[in-house]
Amino acid sequence: MKKVITFIAGALLLAACTPKAQVEPYELISAEAFDTTLNGQAVTLFTMVNKNGMAAQVTNYGARLVSLWVPARDGSFKDVVWGYESIADYLDPGTDVYSGPVVGRYGNRINKGRFTLDGKEYQLTINDGENHLHGGSGGFWSKVWQGRSVINADSSESVVLTYQSPDGEEGYPGNLSITVTYTLTNENQLVIGYEATTDAPTVINPTSHSYFNLHGTTAQSTNSHVLQINAGSFTPTDAGLIPTGEIASVEGTPLDFRQPTPIGERIEADFEPMKLAKGYDHNWVLDKTGSAFSEAAVVYEPATGIVMTVTTDQPGMQFYSGNFMDGKDTGKRGDKHNFRTGVAFETQNFPDAPNHPNFPNPVLRPGETYMQTCIYAFGTK
Ligand code: GAL
């Protein structure tokens, strides 16, 4: 099904600007591979390309990032996110449903799927042991969103996706209307903007769940990535990865990434929170005040020279080091999804915040607008 689309225009442009750079054309996934109807709704694959030749492909199935081609140090392009080559692959029960989508309403875990809001208890669906994870088994990641392409005034491209989540879906109260906008800027940034409103009080914490590998292939582990996280504390959890409510310092622990450190250097450390998570799978409490926009993390792969900077207005970021990956499924270009070959950086409110009054408020009420912006920016060094 895959149609080869060679990115000639970008290659020519780059060749003209940097005659000595090695320009490797790349293959985009064809829109035909996503051309289907699910529950009466059309599935589409959108492609955005910027003036530097960087490309992002997004499908409205789960508001999902499918490909992200970014320039490497040697002038070639690498696809730095996990994904699959067709909608059929995404619907195959053997594939990782959290490969690239927007998860929600509430990203990450809610203890036993229960919370109380304005004195009323709500029971969400349970899909992770005894807990609720990433919005449940019918979360946003599994829905067909309405999508459209937009060309912005500065010539950058966006894909605007909207979804109406009905009252009671997965147990959440209120009819929620959510819009997610992916914009590929000419400064090599993928900007993900979220906006939501509700007709009854609810809780909300959508986030983007892409697995990145800055090698551009899962043939190589993400343990070699050098990571900096601008956070002095984290939220410890129990064995089910539910926060205890404590906010603990990272000082003197393997979770201290305030100085750039290879991910693999301390990943097997004898440190209880890492034993519980089988590696890194924690919420870092970002150094900031309120909803300030701040640089959460910088990720660098020495082999390709690719640098990714994560910027957010959210209070937390989940860094997940791929501890549950087992190589049983195969993504684009035959890439096996092996142990620790993808890393997620999910900008978010804290997991289980609806059950912890000391965590930032996750409640959205009628008349309010939920907003979030996350930027994944790319460069080389
Ligand atoms: C992460 C979560 C992990 C795991 C993963 C999906 O966001 O923190 O524990 O559930 O998603 O496999």
Side-chain angles (χ1 to χ4, degrees):
M1 281 296 279
K2 197 173 71 174
K3 187 175 130 198
V4 175
I5 301 176
T6 308
F7 184 67
I8 297 167
L12 287 177
L13 181 71
L14 273 173
C17 299
T18 51
K20 290 204 180 83
Q22 266 196 327
V23 178
E24 230 176 59
Y26 53 82
E27 290 178 10
L28 293 169
I29 304 293
S30 76
E32 285 86 351
F34 282 74
D35 189 6
T36 195
T37 303
L38 282 177
N39 301 328
Q41 288 171 279
V43 175
T44 313
L45 181 70
F46 299 91
T47 299
M48 298 177 276
V49 183
N50 77 4
K51 66 174 192 204
N52 310 312
M54 181 174 159
Q57 294 191 288
V58 169
T59 173
N60 60 332
Y61 173 65
R64 192 177 249 103
L65 184 61
V66 172
S67 313
L68 190 62
W69 289 93
V70 309
R73 188 201 289 125
D74 65 2
S76 66
F77 283 80
K78 306 286 181 200
D79 183 1
V80 293
V81 292
W82 279 24
Y84 300 93
E85 292 181 349
S86 69
I87 186 66
D89 286 347
Y90 280 98
L91 296 174
D92 181 323
T95 54
D96 187 329
V97 297
Y98 302 126
S99 207
V102 167
V103 293
R105 283 186 204 189
Y106 207 91
N108 212 282
R109 293 176 176 81
I110 294 184
N111 192 9
K112 299 190 176 61
R114 252 183 248 144
F115 66 94
T116 301
L117 177 56
D118 297 339
K120 186 167 174 210
E121 190 172 290
Y122 293 92
Q123 178 66 60
L124 306 174
T125 54
I126 301 299
N127 62 332
D128 184 67
E130 55 181 13
N131 300 317
H132 177 85
L133 174 69
H134 292 329
S137 47
F140 291 169
W141 57 269
S142 68
K143 305 298 182 192
V144 180
W145 298 50
Q146 295 288 322
R148 65 190 164 92
S149 289
V150 174
I151 309 271
N152 302 303
D154 66 355
S155 85
S156 65
E157 293 175 70
S158 297
V159 174
V160 182
L161 300 149
T162 57
Y163 177 63
Q164 312 295 331
S165 170
D167 178 37
E169 186 173 59
E170 298 297 306
Y172 289 98
N175 291 294
L176 185 93
S177 172
I178 178 164
T179 300
V180 171
T181 304
Y182 286 89
T183 300
L184 180 61
T185 74
N186 286 319
E187 287 72 48
N188 289 3
Q189 302 164 317
L190 183 71
V191 182
I192 310 178
Y194 303 73
E195 254 191 70
T197 53
T198 182
D199 67 359
T202 190
V203 295
I204 182 167
N205 183 34
T207 188
S208 166
H209 202 289
S210 278
Y211 298 118
F212 293 92
N213 185 321
L214 303 186
H215 288 288
T217 167
T218 60
Q220 287 161 73
S221 166
T222 39
N223 277 351
S224 59
H225 292 5
V226 178
L227 174 63
Q228 180 185 341
I229 303 178
N230 297 319
S233 46
F234 73 107
T235 50
T237 68
D238 66 13
L241 302 185
I242 297 295
T244 58
E246 186 194 352
I247 294 187
S249 171
V250 297
E251 182 80 39
T253 79
L255 271 65
D256 190 345
F257 277 96
R258 288 173 293 182
Q259 295 303 319
T261 310
I263 290 173
E265 196 168 293
R266 301 167 297 178
I267 203 163
E268 302 295 350
D270 186 11
F271 178 56
E272 185 61 13
M274 290 187 61
K275 295 230 166 274
L276 292 176
K278 302 181 174 54
Y280 293 109
D281 189 0
H282 303 86
N283 171 61
W284 271 257
V285 177
L286 300 173
D287 292 339
K288 67 166 70 182
T289 315
S291 59
F293 209 56
S294 71
E295 187 183 280
V298 183
V299 197
Y300 166 58
E301 173 43 55
T304 56
I306 296 172
V307 183
M308 178 174 83
T309 306
V310 185
T311 308
T312 180
D313 51 11
Q314 291 301 288
M317 186 188 74
Q318 189 84 13
F319 160 46
Y320 168 58
S321 61
N323 317 309
F324 299 124
M325 296 166 180
D326 58 11
K328 282 195 188 135
D329 78 315
T330 304
K332 291 174 289 185
R333 299 172 295 277
D335 265 0
K336 292 260 176 249
H337 291 157
N338 291 322
F339 187 52
R340 295 186 181 146
T341 58
V343 274
F345 301 96
E346 303 148 58
T347 57
Q348 61 182 8
N349 195 342
F350 303 171
D352 200 33
N355 291 308
H356 298 282
N358 60 322
F359 286 0
N361 178 18
V363 177
L364 180 70
R365 296 185 180 277
E368 298 173 345
T369 301
Y370 171 89
M371 292 181 88
Q372 181 194 158
T373 304
C374 170
I375 303 177
Y376 297 105
F378 293 87
T380 56
K381 72 174 185 184

